[in-house]
Amino acid sequence: MKIQEKVINEEDMDRTFLNDIKEASGSTEIDICIQCGTCSSSCPMAVYMDYTPRQIISMVKNGMRENVLKSFTPWLCASCYSCQVRCPMDINITDVMYAIKRKAVEKKTYPSRFAIPVMDKEMHKILTHNGRSSEVLLMLKLFLKTRNLIGLIKMAPLGLNLFKTGRIGLKKESIKNKKQLRQILKAVKEESQ
Amino acid sequence: MSEYIYYPGCSLKTSGRHYDESIITVFKELGIELKELDDWNCCGATASPSVDEAKTSAITGRVLALAEKSGKDILAPCAACYMSLKKSKKFLENGSQKAEKILKALEDAGLPYKANVNVKHPVEILTKEIGMGKIKAKVIRNLNNIKIVNYYGCQIVRPFTEFDDPDYPTQMDDLMDALGLDVVDYSAKTKCCGGALTANLEEPGLRLNYILLKEAKRKGADAIVTLCPLCLFNLEITQRKITKKYKEEVKIPVFFFSQLMGLSMGIPKEDLGFSRSMIPLKKFWEKVENGGSK
Protein backbone atom coordinates (compact mmCIF):
# COMPACT_ATOMS: atom_id res chain seq x y z
CA MET A 1 0.00 0.00 0.00
CA LYS A 2 1.22 3.43 -0.84
CA ILE A 3 1.53 5.60 2.25
CA GLN A 4 -0.40 8.74 1.46
CA GLU A 5 -3.07 10.92 2.92
CA LYS A 6 -6.42 9.09 2.79
CA VAL A 7 -8.58 11.95 4.02
CA ILE A 8 -10.33 14.33 1.68
CA ASN A 9 -10.16 17.82 3.05
CA GLU A 10 -13.01 20.25 2.88
CA GLU A 11 -11.17 22.55 0.50
CA ASP A 12 -10.82 19.66 -1.98
CA MET A 13 -14.56 19.19 -2.25
CA ASP A 14 -16.37 20.52 -5.28
CA ARG A 15 -19.34 22.40 -3.87
CA THR A 16 -21.06 22.73 -7.23
CA PHE A 17 -21.18 19.00 -7.96
CA LEU A 18 -24.25 18.21 -5.84
CA ASN A 19 -26.29 20.86 -7.63
CA ASP A 20 -25.07 19.67 -11.01
CA ILE A 21 -26.30 16.15 -10.29
CA LYS A 22 -29.55 17.41 -8.77
CA GLU A 23 -30.21 19.43 -11.89
CA ALA A 24 -29.25 16.62 -14.27
CA SER A 25 -31.18 13.90 -12.43
CA GLY A 26 -34.24 15.90 -11.48
CA SER A 27 -33.80 14.38 -8.02
CA THR A 28 -33.68 17.26 -5.57
CA GLU A 29 -33.63 15.06 -2.47
CA ILE A 30 -30.07 13.76 -2.69
CA ASP A 31 -28.83 15.69 0.34
CA ILE A 32 -31.46 14.24 2.68
CA CYS A 33 -29.87 10.78 2.35
CA ILE A 34 -29.55 9.16 5.79
CA GLN A 35 -26.93 6.62 4.63
CA CYS A 36 -29.07 3.67 5.68
CA GLY A 37 -27.70 1.44 2.91
CA THR A 38 -31.04 0.07 1.72
CA CYS A 39 -29.95 0.91 -1.84
CA SER A 40 -26.71 -1.06 -1.61
CA SER A 41 -28.35 -4.07 -0.02
CA SER A 42 -31.09 -4.06 -2.68
CA CYS A 43 -28.64 -3.74 -5.55
CA PRO A 44 -27.98 -6.98 -7.47
CA MET A 45 -24.78 -5.49 -8.91
CA ALA A 46 -23.32 -3.85 -5.76
CA VAL A 47 -20.85 -6.69 -5.19
CA TYR A 48 -19.15 -5.81 -8.49
CA MET A 49 -18.99 -2.05 -8.00
CA ASP A 50 -15.98 0.06 -7.05
CA TYR A 51 -18.27 2.15 -4.82
CA THR A 52 -21.66 0.95 -3.58
CA PRO A 53 -24.74 3.06 -4.41
CA ARG A 54 -24.80 4.34 -0.81
CA GLN A 55 -21.19 5.48 -1.15
CA ILE A 56 -21.89 7.15 -4.49
CA ILE A 57 -24.74 9.19 -2.99
CA SER A 58 -22.48 10.28 -0.14
CA MET A 59 -19.70 11.15 -2.59
CA VAL A 60 -22.10 13.23 -4.68
CA LYS A 61 -23.25 15.03 -1.54
CA ASN A 62 -19.66 15.70 -0.57
CA GLY A 63 -18.49 16.98 -3.91
CA MET A 64 -16.14 14.16 -4.93
CA ARG A 65 -16.66 14.97 -8.59
CA GLU A 66 -13.63 13.25 -10.07
CA ASN A 67 -14.02 9.94 -8.24
CA VAL A 68 -17.72 9.77 -9.06
CA LEU A 69 -17.38 10.60 -12.75
CA LYS A 70 -14.59 8.06 -13.20
CA SER A 71 -16.35 5.30 -11.30
CA PHE A 72 -17.54 2.03 -12.87
CA THR A 73 -20.55 2.00 -10.52
CA PRO A 74 -23.12 3.84 -12.67
CA TRP A 75 -22.13 1.69 -15.68
CA LEU A 76 -22.75 -1.44 -13.65
CA CYS A 77 -26.26 -0.30 -12.77
CA ALA A 78 -28.68 -2.65 -14.54
CA SER A 79 -31.59 -0.19 -14.16
CA CYS A 80 -33.67 -2.58 -12.06
CA TYR A 81 -34.88 0.36 -9.94
CA SER A 82 -34.91 -1.69 -6.71
CA CYS A 83 -32.96 1.01 -4.85
CA GLN A 84 -35.25 3.72 -6.14
CA VAL A 85 -38.54 2.15 -5.01
CA ARG A 86 -37.09 1.11 -1.65
CA CYS A 87 -35.31 4.33 -0.65
CA PRO A 88 -36.98 5.58 2.57
CA MET A 89 -36.09 9.16 1.64
CA ASP A 90 -37.53 8.86 -1.89
CA ILE A 91 -34.25 9.60 -3.60
CA ASN A 92 -34.38 8.63 -7.27
CA ILE A 93 -31.12 6.70 -7.07
CA THR A 94 -31.34 5.04 -10.49
CA ASP A 95 -31.97 8.44 -12.06
CA VAL A 96 -28.94 9.78 -10.19
CA MET A 97 -26.89 6.97 -11.77
CA TYR A 98 -28.17 7.99 -15.21
CA ALA A 99 -27.26 11.62 -14.51
CA ILE A 100 -23.73 10.58 -13.50
CA LYS A 101 -23.39 8.52 -16.70
CA ARG A 102 -24.46 11.47 -18.85
CA LYS A 103 -22.01 13.79 -17.09
CA ALA A 104 -19.23 11.23 -17.57
CA VAL A 105 -20.07 10.95 -21.28
CA GLU A 106 -20.12 14.73 -21.61
CA LYS A 107 -16.74 15.10 -19.86
CA LYS A 108 -15.36 11.91 -21.43
CA THR A 109 -14.34 10.55 -18.01
CA TYR A 110 -16.11 7.19 -18.34
CA PRO A 111 -13.98 4.01 -18.48
CA SER A 112 -13.27 4.23 -22.21
CA ARG A 113 -12.73 0.59 -23.10
CA PHE A 114 -15.39 -0.79 -20.80
CA ALA A 115 -18.09 -2.51 -22.87
CA ILE A 116 -21.14 -0.88 -21.26
CA PRO A 117 -20.52 2.84 -21.92
CA VAL A 118 -19.25 1.95 -25.40
CA MET A 119 -22.39 -0.07 -26.10
CA ASP A 120 -24.71 2.64 -24.76
CA LYS A 121 -23.00 5.31 -26.84
CA GLU A 122 -23.00 3.24 -30.02
CA MET A 123 -26.61 2.17 -29.61
CA HIS A 124 -27.67 5.75 -28.98
CA LYS A 125 -25.77 6.82 -32.07
CA ILE A 126 -27.36 4.16 -34.28
CA LEU A 127 -30.89 4.79 -33.15
CA THR A 128 -30.76 8.56 -33.24
CA HIS A 129 -29.39 8.21 -36.76
CA ASN A 130 -31.73 5.56 -38.13
CA GLY A 131 -34.60 5.65 -35.65
CA ARG A 132 -34.12 1.95 -34.96
CA SER A 133 -31.37 -0.20 -33.55
CA SER A 134 -29.60 -2.85 -35.61
CA GLU A 135 -28.15 -5.67 -33.51
CA VAL A 136 -25.44 -6.93 -35.83
CA LEU A 137 -24.17 -3.43 -36.53
CA LEU A 138 -24.15 -2.68 -32.80
CA MET A 139 -22.20 -5.84 -31.94
CA LEU A 140 -19.59 -5.20 -34.61
CA LYS A 141 -19.10 -1.61 -33.49
CA LEU A 142 -18.92 -2.66 -29.85
CA PHE A 143 -16.15 -5.21 -30.34
CA LEU A 144 -14.27 -2.91 -32.68
CA LYS A 145 -14.33 -0.05 -30.19
CA THR A 146 -13.41 -2.19 -27.20
CA ARG A 147 -10.79 -3.99 -29.34
CA ASN A 148 -12.16 -7.27 -28.14
CA LEU A 149 -11.77 -9.74 -30.97
CA ILE A 150 -12.01 -12.73 -28.64
CA GLY A 151 -15.33 -11.42 -27.38
CA LEU A 152 -16.62 -11.26 -30.93
CA ILE A 153 -15.51 -14.83 -31.65
CA LYS A 154 -17.11 -16.02 -28.42
CA MET A 155 -20.39 -14.51 -29.60
CA ALA A 156 -20.40 -16.67 -32.74
CA PRO A 157 -22.33 -19.67 -31.31
CA LEU A 158 -25.02 -17.34 -29.96
CA GLY A 159 -25.24 -15.56 -33.29
CA LEU A 160 -25.66 -18.88 -35.04
CA ASN A 161 -28.36 -19.94 -32.59
CA LEU A 162 -30.27 -16.70 -33.12
CA PHE A 163 -29.89 -17.10 -36.86
CA LYS A 164 -31.21 -20.67 -36.78
CA THR A 165 -34.29 -19.64 -34.81
CA GLY A 166 -34.87 -16.61 -37.05
CA ARG A 167 -34.29 -14.19 -34.20
CA ILE A 168 -31.60 -11.95 -35.57
CA GLY A 169 -32.00 -8.97 -37.87
CA LEU A 170 -29.18 -8.88 -40.38
CA LYS A 171 -30.27 -5.85 -42.33
CA LYS A 172 -29.90 -2.26 -41.23
CA GLU A 173 -33.19 -1.13 -39.72
CA SER A 174 -34.47 2.35 -40.34
CA ILE A 175 -37.61 4.45 -40.05
CA LYS A 176 -39.17 6.11 -43.10
CA ASN A 177 -39.32 9.66 -41.86
CA LYS A 178 -35.70 10.17 -40.85
CA LYS A 179 -35.98 13.81 -41.86
CA GLN A 180 -38.57 14.45 -39.17
CA LEU A 181 -36.51 12.63 -36.53
CA ARG A 182 -33.43 14.67 -37.43
CA GLN A 183 -35.39 17.90 -37.26
CA ILE A 184 -36.63 17.07 -33.74
CA LEU A 185 -33.19 15.99 -32.54
CA LYS A 186 -31.53 19.06 -34.01
CA ALA A 187 -34.05 21.33 -32.31
CA VAL A 188 -33.61 19.78 -28.86
CA LYS A 189 -29.83 19.83 -29.23
CA GLU A 190 -29.79 23.51 -30.06
CA GLU A 191 -32.13 24.22 -27.20
CA SER A 192 -30.06 22.37 -24.64
CA GLN A 193 -26.83 24.14 -25.51
CA MET B 1 -62.82 -0.80 -23.46
CA SER B 2 -60.35 1.45 -25.23
CA GLU B 3 -58.75 0.77 -28.56
CA TYR B 4 -55.05 0.07 -28.87
CA ILE B 5 -52.20 0.90 -31.16
CA TYR B 6 -49.42 -1.68 -31.12
CA TYR B 7 -45.84 -0.57 -30.37
CA PRO B 8 -43.60 -3.63 -30.81
CA GLY B 9 -40.20 -1.99 -30.27
CA CYS B 10 -36.97 -3.44 -31.62
CA SER B 11 -36.81 -6.65 -29.54
CA LEU B 12 -40.14 -7.95 -30.82
CA LYS B 13 -38.86 -7.66 -34.37
CA THR B 14 -35.63 -9.57 -33.69
CA SER B 15 -34.72 -11.74 -30.68
CA GLY B 16 -38.28 -11.64 -29.33
CA ARG B 17 -40.03 -12.30 -32.63
CA HIS B 18 -42.14 -15.08 -31.08
CA TYR B 19 -43.54 -12.51 -28.62
CA ASP B 20 -44.74 -10.42 -31.59
CA GLU B 21 -46.21 -13.47 -33.33
CA SER B 22 -48.02 -14.83 -30.28
CA ILE B 23 -49.35 -11.47 -29.03
CA ILE B 24 -50.91 -10.68 -32.41
CA THR B 25 -52.39 -14.18 -32.71
CA VAL B 26 -53.83 -14.25 -29.20
CA PHE B 27 -55.41 -10.80 -29.44
CA LYS B 28 -56.91 -11.77 -32.78
CA GLU B 29 -58.44 -14.84 -31.16
CA LEU B 30 -59.99 -12.51 -28.58
CA GLY B 31 -61.45 -10.39 -31.37
CA ILE B 32 -58.89 -7.58 -31.29
CA GLU B 33 -56.96 -6.80 -34.45
CA LEU B 34 -53.69 -5.13 -33.42
CA LYS B 35 -52.60 -2.37 -35.75
CA GLU B 36 -48.91 -1.49 -35.62
CA LEU B 37 -47.94 2.13 -34.99
CA ASP B 38 -46.82 3.48 -38.34
CA ASP B 39 -43.14 4.43 -38.63
CA TRP B 40 -42.38 3.89 -34.93
CA ASN B 41 -38.84 4.42 -33.66
CA CYS B 42 -36.94 2.72 -30.83
CA CYS B 43 -37.45 3.83 -27.23
CA GLY B 44 -33.74 4.13 -26.39
CA ALA B 45 -34.08 1.53 -23.59
CA THR B 46 -31.26 1.90 -21.06
CA ALA B 47 -28.73 3.17 -23.63
CA SER B 48 -30.04 6.59 -24.64
CA PRO B 49 -30.81 7.88 -21.14
CA SER B 50 -27.19 7.08 -20.25
CA VAL B 51 -25.97 9.37 -22.99
CA ASP B 52 -28.35 12.27 -23.65
CA GLU B 53 -31.49 13.20 -21.73
CA ALA B 54 -33.00 15.67 -24.17
CA LYS B 55 -32.57 13.35 -27.14
CA THR B 56 -34.02 10.43 -25.20
CA SER B 57 -37.14 12.42 -24.42
CA ALA B 58 -37.29 13.56 -28.03
CA ILE B 59 -37.28 10.03 -29.47
CA THR B 60 -39.74 8.64 -26.92
CA GLY B 61 -41.78 11.82 -27.33
CA ARG B 62 -42.03 11.10 -31.06
CA VAL B 63 -43.53 7.68 -30.30
CA LEU B 64 -46.03 9.17 -27.83
CA ALA B 65 -47.04 11.90 -30.27
CA LEU B 66 -47.42 9.47 -33.20
CA ALA B 67 -49.62 7.23 -31.07
CA GLU B 68 -51.67 10.16 -29.84
CA LYS B 69 -52.48 11.04 -33.45
CA SER B 70 -54.10 7.63 -33.83
CA GLY B 71 -56.41 8.41 -30.91
CA LYS B 72 -55.70 5.04 -29.29
CA ASP B 73 -53.79 3.84 -26.22
CA ILE B 74 -50.34 2.33 -26.67
CA LEU B 75 -50.00 -1.41 -26.20
CA ALA B 76 -46.34 -2.05 -25.36
CA PRO B 77 -45.41 -5.71 -24.68
CA CYS B 78 -41.70 -5.05 -24.02
CA ALA B 79 -41.01 -4.08 -20.40
CA ALA B 80 -38.25 -1.63 -21.40
CA CYS B 81 -40.50 0.09 -23.97
CA TYR B 82 -43.34 0.22 -21.46
CA MET B 83 -41.16 1.80 -18.78
CA SER B 84 -39.34 4.19 -21.14
CA LEU B 85 -42.58 5.51 -22.61
CA LYS B 86 -44.13 5.93 -19.16
CA LYS B 87 -41.06 7.73 -17.93
CA SER B 88 -41.03 10.01 -20.95
CA LYS B 89 -44.74 10.73 -20.58
CA LYS B 90 -44.23 11.73 -16.96
CA PHE B 91 -41.27 13.93 -17.90
CA LEU B 92 -43.00 15.64 -20.82
CA GLU B 93 -46.05 16.36 -18.68
CA ASN B 94 -44.19 17.80 -15.66
CA GLY B 95 -44.35 21.39 -16.92
CA SER B 96 -40.61 21.99 -16.58
CA GLN B 97 -38.58 24.19 -18.90
CA LYS B 98 -36.71 21.15 -20.18
CA ALA B 99 -40.00 19.45 -21.08
CA GLU B 100 -41.44 22.53 -22.77
CA LYS B 101 -38.45 22.72 -25.08
CA ILE B 102 -38.94 19.15 -26.22
CA LEU B 103 -42.67 19.65 -26.72
CA LYS B 104 -41.91 22.65 -28.89
CA ALA B 105 -39.43 20.70 -31.00
CA LEU B 106 -42.06 17.99 -31.52
CA GLU B 107 -44.73 20.50 -32.43
CA ASP B 108 -42.46 22.25 -34.93
CA ALA B 109 -41.92 18.90 -36.62
CA GLY B 110 -45.67 18.41 -37.01
CA LEU B 111 -46.07 16.22 -33.94
CA PRO B 112 -47.85 18.19 -31.23
CA TYR B 113 -48.16 16.19 -28.02
CA LYS B 114 -51.14 17.01 -25.82
CA ALA B 115 -50.80 14.32 -23.12
CA ASN B 116 -53.80 12.40 -24.41
CA VAL B 117 -52.31 8.94 -24.64
CA ASN B 118 -51.93 6.09 -22.17
CA VAL B 119 -49.23 3.44 -22.12
CA LYS B 120 -50.43 -0.07 -21.29
CA HIS B 121 -48.98 -3.53 -21.09
CA PRO B 122 -50.93 -6.41 -22.71
CA VAL B 123 -51.11 -8.27 -19.37
CA GLU B 124 -52.88 -5.25 -17.84
CA ILE B 125 -55.23 -5.07 -20.80
CA LEU B 126 -56.00 -8.78 -20.61
CA THR B 127 -56.63 -8.93 -16.88
CA LYS B 128 -58.21 -5.52 -16.30
CA GLU B 129 -59.95 -4.61 -19.55
CA ILE B 130 -60.74 -7.76 -21.49
CA GLY B 131 -61.32 -9.70 -18.31
CA MET B 132 -60.73 -13.24 -17.11
CA GLY B 133 -64.23 -14.35 -18.02
CA LYS B 134 -63.73 -13.73 -21.71
CA ILE B 135 -60.30 -15.35 -21.62
CA LYS B 136 -61.48 -18.43 -19.71
CA ALA B 137 -64.28 -18.93 -22.23
CA LYS B 138 -61.63 -19.37 -24.94
CA VAL B 139 -59.65 -22.08 -23.15
CA ILE B 140 -60.08 -25.47 -24.82
CA ARG B 141 -56.86 -27.21 -23.95
CA ASN B 142 -56.10 -28.63 -20.54
CA LEU B 143 -52.62 -27.64 -19.40
CA ASN B 144 -53.08 -28.31 -15.69
CA ASN B 145 -50.18 -30.75 -15.61
CA ILE B 146 -47.76 -28.05 -16.76
CA LYS B 147 -46.00 -26.52 -13.80
CA ILE B 148 -44.81 -22.94 -14.35
CA VAL B 149 -43.22 -20.04 -12.50
CA ASN B 150 -44.01 -16.47 -13.57
CA TYR B 151 -41.06 -14.15 -13.95
CA TYR B 152 -41.82 -10.42 -14.21
CA GLY B 153 -38.33 -8.93 -14.09
CA CYS B 154 -37.77 -5.29 -13.19
CA GLN B 155 -38.97 -2.59 -15.46
CA ILE B 156 -42.60 -3.67 -15.71
CA VAL B 157 -43.01 -3.19 -11.94
CA ARG B 158 -40.42 -0.51 -11.19
CA PRO B 159 -40.02 2.43 -10.81
CA PHE B 160 -43.70 2.96 -11.64
CA THR B 161 -46.12 0.92 -9.63
CA GLU B 162 -49.29 1.33 -11.69
CA PHE B 163 -48.88 -2.17 -13.11
CA ASP B 164 -48.68 -4.04 -9.82
CA ASP B 165 -46.68 -4.36 -6.60
CA PRO B 166 -42.97 -3.50 -7.19
CA ASP B 167 -41.71 -6.64 -5.41
CA TYR B 168 -44.53 -9.12 -5.46
CA PRO B 169 -46.82 -8.69 -8.48
CA THR B 170 -49.55 -11.27 -9.12
CA GLN B 171 -51.24 -10.20 -12.37
CA MET B 172 -49.48 -12.68 -14.63
CA ASP B 173 -49.96 -15.44 -12.02
CA ASP B 174 -53.71 -14.74 -12.03
CA LEU B 175 -53.78 -14.82 -15.82
CA MET B 176 -51.88 -18.12 -16.06
CA ASP B 177 -54.05 -19.54 -13.29
CA ALA B 178 -57.17 -18.60 -15.25
CA LEU B 179 -55.80 -20.54 -18.22
CA GLY B 180 -55.60 -23.61 -16.02
CA LEU B 181 -51.82 -23.92 -15.76
CA ASP B 182 -50.23 -25.21 -12.56
CA VAL B 183 -48.80 -21.94 -11.23
CA VAL B 184 -46.12 -22.28 -8.56
CA ASP B 185 -45.07 -19.41 -6.32
CA TYR B 186 -41.73 -17.93 -7.39
CA SER B 187 -39.81 -15.86 -4.87
CA ALA B 188 -37.42 -14.57 -7.58
CA LYS B 189 -40.24 -13.12 -9.69
CA THR B 190 -38.92 -9.55 -9.66
CA LYS B 191 -35.20 -10.21 -9.20
CA CYS B 192 -32.94 -8.74 -11.87
CA CYS B 193 -31.67 -10.72 -14.91
CA GLY B 194 -28.92 -8.16 -15.54
CA GLY B 195 -30.77 -6.53 -18.40
CA ALA B 196 -28.50 -5.17 -21.10
CA LEU B 197 -25.42 -5.96 -18.98
CA THR B 198 -25.76 -9.75 -19.17
CA ALA B 199 -24.73 -10.25 -22.79
CA ASN B 200 -21.54 -8.26 -22.22
CA LEU B 201 -20.49 -8.97 -18.64
CA GLU B 202 -20.29 -12.69 -18.23
CA GLU B 203 -19.58 -13.01 -14.51
CA PRO B 204 -22.49 -10.95 -13.16
CA GLY B 205 -24.73 -12.12 -15.99
CA LEU B 206 -24.27 -15.79 -15.18
CA ARG B 207 -24.62 -15.26 -11.46
CA LEU B 208 -27.87 -13.28 -11.67
CA ASN B 209 -29.48 -15.74 -14.08
CA TYR B 210 -28.23 -18.70 -12.04
CA ILE B 211 -30.27 -17.39 -9.10
CA LEU B 212 -33.38 -17.20 -11.28
CA LEU B 213 -32.93 -20.59 -12.97
CA LYS B 214 -31.96 -22.42 -9.79
CA GLU B 215 -35.05 -21.18 -7.98
CA ALA B 216 -37.30 -22.22 -10.89
CA LYS B 217 -35.69 -25.67 -10.88
CA ARG B 218 -36.06 -25.97 -7.10
CA LYS B 219 -39.77 -25.31 -7.50
CA GLY B 220 -39.97 -28.16 -10.01
CA ALA B 221 -41.17 -25.92 -12.82
CA ASP B 222 -41.49 -27.25 -16.38
CA ALA B 223 -41.06 -23.75 -17.78
CA ILE B 224 -40.45 -20.13 -16.86
CA VAL B 225 -43.06 -17.71 -18.17
CA THR B 226 -42.17 -14.08 -18.73
CA LEU B 227 -43.46 -10.84 -20.23
CA CYS B 228 -40.11 -9.22 -21.07
CA PRO B 229 -38.11 -10.02 -24.23
CA LEU B 230 -34.75 -9.20 -22.64
CA CYS B 231 -35.48 -11.41 -19.61
CA LEU B 232 -36.34 -14.31 -21.91
CA PHE B 233 -33.21 -13.74 -23.98
CA ASN B 234 -30.93 -13.65 -20.92
CA LEU B 235 -32.52 -16.71 -19.34
CA GLU B 236 -32.00 -18.68 -22.54
CA ILE B 237 -28.47 -17.65 -23.51
CA THR B 238 -26.96 -18.20 -20.06
CA GLN B 239 -28.20 -21.76 -19.39
CA ARG B 240 -25.39 -23.69 -21.06
CA LYS B 241 -22.64 -21.57 -19.50
CA ILE B 242 -24.25 -21.70 -16.05
CA THR B 243 -24.36 -25.50 -16.16
CA LYS B 244 -20.69 -25.50 -17.03
CA LYS B 245 -19.66 -22.93 -14.45
CA TYR B 246 -21.76 -24.00 -11.47
CA LYS B 247 -21.78 -27.70 -12.38
CA GLU B 248 -25.52 -27.83 -12.09
CA GLU B 249 -28.18 -28.70 -14.66
CA VAL B 250 -30.42 -25.66 -15.11
CA LYS B 251 -31.99 -26.44 -18.48
CA ILE B 252 -35.57 -25.17 -18.60
CA PRO B 253 -37.71 -23.71 -21.40
CA VAL B 254 -38.61 -20.02 -21.20
CA PHE B 255 -41.84 -18.80 -22.82
CA PHE B 256 -43.75 -15.59 -23.28
CA PHE B 257 -47.10 -15.64 -21.45
CA SER B 258 -48.80 -15.09 -24.80
CA GLN B 259 -47.39 -18.35 -26.20
CA LEU B 260 -48.98 -20.39 -23.41
CA MET B 261 -52.19 -18.40 -23.69
CA GLY B 262 -52.41 -19.31 -27.36
CA LEU B 263 -51.63 -22.94 -26.62
CA SER B 264 -54.43 -23.19 -24.05
CA MET B 265 -56.82 -21.58 -26.55
CA GLY B 266 -56.05 -24.36 -29.00
CA ILE B 267 -54.07 -22.23 -31.45
CA PRO B 268 -51.56 -24.40 -33.40
CA LYS B 269 -48.09 -24.16 -31.88
CA GLU B 270 -46.66 -23.19 -35.29
CA ASP B 271 -48.55 -19.88 -35.06
CA LEU B 272 -47.14 -19.08 -31.63
CA GLY B 273 -43.42 -19.11 -32.39
CA PHE B 274 -42.52 -22.15 -30.26
CA SER B 275 -39.94 -23.23 -32.84
CA ARG B 276 -37.90 -20.14 -31.93
CA SER B 277 -36.96 -21.55 -28.52
CA MET B 278 -33.21 -21.96 -28.00
CA ILE B 279 -33.94 -24.60 -25.36
CA PRO B 280 -35.06 -28.06 -26.55
CA LEU B 281 -38.80 -28.52 -25.96
CA LYS B 282 -39.10 -32.31 -26.38
CA LYS B 283 -39.89 -33.01 -22.73
CA PHE B 284 -42.30 -30.09 -22.60
CA TRP B 285 -44.32 -31.29 -25.59
CA GLU B 286 -44.45 -34.82 -24.18
CA LYS B 287 -45.99 -33.42 -21.04
CA VAL B 288 -48.43 -31.26 -22.99
CA GLU B 289 -49.55 -34.29 -25.04
CA ASN B 290 -50.14 -36.26 -21.85
CA GLY B 291 -52.49 -33.53 -20.64
CA GLY B 292 -55.11 -34.07 -23.32
CA SER B 293 -58.03 -31.81 -24.16
CA LYS B 294 -60.47 -30.29 -21.71
Side-chain angles (χ1 to χ4, degrees):
Chain A
M1 191 182 77
K2 198 175 162 197
I3 303 301
Q4 59 179 8
E5 206 175 320
K6 292 285 188 282
V7 175
I8 294 176
N9 295 306
E10 228 173 309
E11 60 263 31
D12 299 326
M13 294 174 182
D14 183 338
R15 291 287 169 210
T16 59
F17 189 48
L18 174 62
N19 272 333
D20 284 356
I21 296 298
K22 275 187 184 177
E23 153 75 17
S25 66
S27 185
T28 49
E29 313 83 354
I30 303 172
D31 37 7
I32 60 169
C33 170
I34 53 170
Q35 289 288 299
C36 68
T38 303
C39 47
S40 298
S41 56
S42 303
C43 179
M45 292 297 290
V47 291
Y48 299 103
M49 291 170 171
D50 44 1
Y51 305 105
T52 62
R54 180 189 63 81
Q55 284 176 309
I56 287 285
I57 296 292
S58 177
M59 288 158 76
V60 169
K61 264 175 80 172
N62 289 299
M64 294 168 71
R65 184 188 292 267
E66 215 190 309
N67 304 55
V68 171
L69 293 187
K70 281 185 179 168
S71 167
F72 278 73
T73 294
W75 302 104
L76 287 168
C77 167
S79 291
C80 80
Y81 290 92
S82 285
C83 54
Q84 188 147 325
V85 297
R86 289 179 186 173
C87 175
M89 303 310 281
D90 290 332
I91 299 170
N92 293 340
I93 302 164
T94 314
D95 294 333
V96 170
M97 294 296 173
Y98 273 118
I100 294 168
K101 286 187 265 192
R102 291 194 297 269
K103 281 262 175 260
V105 168
E106 189 190 318
K107 302 287 176 208
K108 297 189 171 63
T109 53
Y110 61 90
S112 65
R113 287 222 206 143
F114 188 46
I116 308 304
V118 176
M119 181 179 69
D120 286 352
K121 278 187 72 186
E122 290 306 317
M123 179 157 162
H124 177 72
K125 215 189 274 175
I126 293 171
L127 63 88
T128 45
H129 196 262
N130 303 322
R132 293 201 186 161
S133 107
S134 308
E135 287 163 339
V136 176
L137 187 66
L138 178 64
M139 282 298 136
L140 286 174
K141 283 195 165 192
L142 172 66
F143 290 114
L144 213 65
K145 292 252 168 172
T146 52
R147 298 177 202 177
N148 183 1
L149 189 65
I150 297 164
L152 186 63
I153 294 164
K154 272 186 170 172
M155 279 286 195
L158 172 61
L160 192 67
N161 234 328
L162 285 169
F163 185 73
K164 276 199 283 197
T165 51
R167 290 164 63 181
I168 195 159
L170 294 173
K171 69 172 194 323
K172 201 168 102 181
E173 297 290 332
S174 180
I175 58 167
K176 286 176 276 175
N177 202 346
K178 284 211 271 194
K179 205 180 139 206
Q180 182 191 51
L181 181 70
R182 284 209 190 120
Q183 187 193 334
I184 300 168
L185 290 171
K186 194 168 169 250
V188 303
K189 199 183 168 200
E190 277 163 6
E191 293 287 359
S192 63
Q193 274 169 355
Chain B
M1 200 165 66
S2 34
E3 280 190 78
Y4 316 103
I5 188 94
Y6 175 45
Y7 176 61
C10 54
S11 290
L12 274 78
K13 293 295 172 188
T14 49
S15 69
R17 196 162 278 168
H18 39 330
Y19 199 3
D20 174 79
E21 293 159 343
S22 56
I23 279 279
I24 290 173
T25 310
V26 163
F27 270 78
K28 198 171 174 187
E29 186 70 22
L30 291 164
I32 299 170
E33 203 76 45
L34 288 181
K35 195 178 166 286
E36 194 169 307
L37 179 64
D38 189 42
D39 208 33
W40 56 269
N41 55 267
C42 282
C43 72
T46 52
S48 283
S50 307
V51 181
D52 190 317
E53 186 183 40
K55 285 186 177 176
T56 306
S57 307
I59 57 174
T60 42
R62 181 176 180 268
V63 174
L64 292 170
L66 281 173
E68 191 177 73
K69 262 192 176 173
S70 77
K72 296 170 183 165
D73 284 342
I74 298 174
L75 180 146
C78 168
C81 292
Y82 173 88
M83 198 281 285
S84 303
L85 293 182
K86 279 210 164 200
K87 196 167 187 176
S88 171
K89 185 173 151 64
K90 213 175 157 195
F91 179 79
L92 292 176
E93 293 170 16
N94 73 7
S96 68
Q97 237 181 341
K98 279 184 190 172
E100 292 304 322
K101 282 173 184 172
I102 289 152
L103 291 173
K104 188 173 177 301
L106 288 168
E107 194 168 351
D108 290 346
L111 286 173
Y113 175 65
K114 303 283 176 220
N116 281 326
V117 68
N118 288 309
V119 183
K120 290 174 180 169
H121 190 271
V123 168
E124 279 177 304
I125 293 170
L126 288 162
T127 59
K128 291 177 186 164
E129 294 182 22
I130 294 171
M132 298 298 194
K134 207 171 165 193
I135 294 164
K136 273 185 185 167
K138 286 277 179 189
V139 176
I140 56 166
R141 194 164 193 170
N142 188 0
L143 296 174
N144 68 6
N145 63 330
I146 305 294
K147 206 182 248 194
I148 57 150
V149 290
N150 290 296
Y151 176 53
Y152 296 73
C154 306
Q155 300 198 337
I156 191 73
V157 286
R158 294 186 297 265
F160 308 113
T161 49
E162 289 104 354
F163 179 85
D164 209 330
D165 186 87
D167 285 314
Y168 200 78
T170 52
Q171 262 196 78
M172 194 167 34
D173 296 68
D174 296 344
L175 179 61
M176 291 294 116
D177 191 55
L179 298 174
L181 285 133
D182 183 5
V183 179
V184 203
D185 189 39
Y186 185 46
S187 65
K189 57 166 78 172
T190 56
K191 291 236 181 301
C192 183
C193 73
L197 304 180
T198 292
N200 287 297
L201 304 177
E202 189 162 294
E203 159 59 33
L206 295 186
R207 181 181 144 127
L208 294 179
N209 286 277
Y210 176 49
I211 296 169
L212 302 173
L213 293 164
K214 190 184 171 82
E215 179 64 5
K217 280 286 192 192
R218 199 177 69 83
K219 288 291 171 104
D222 298 309
I224 299 175
V225 179
T226 186
L227 48 68
C228 171
L230 191 51
C231 293
L232 178 132
F233 182 76
N234 285 340
L235 284 168
E236 281 192 322
I237 65 165
T238 51
Q239 289 189 20
R240 199 178 45 84
K241 284 182 182 166
I242 286 170
T243 299
K244 210 171 150 194
K245 181 172 179 185
Y246 296 95
K247 313 225 174 339
E248 195 174 319
E249 185 56 73
V250 290
K251 201 178 279 175
I252 184 168
V254 192
F255 299 127
F256 292 114
F257 72 92
S258 43
Q259 292 181 284
L260 292 187
M261 267 190 92
L263 198 64
S264 73
M265 290 173 169
I267 297 168
K269 62 184 181 190
E270 293 75 23
D271 298 340
L272 298 164
F274 279 101
S275 62
R276 300 195 189 279
S277 172
M278 278 192 221
I279 312 301
L281 302 182
K282 195 170 169 271
K283 260 192 187 162
F284 175 76
W285 289 124
E286 277 169 16
K287 229 176 158 180
V288 169
E289 294 312 321
N290 289 337
S293 59
K294 200 176 175 182

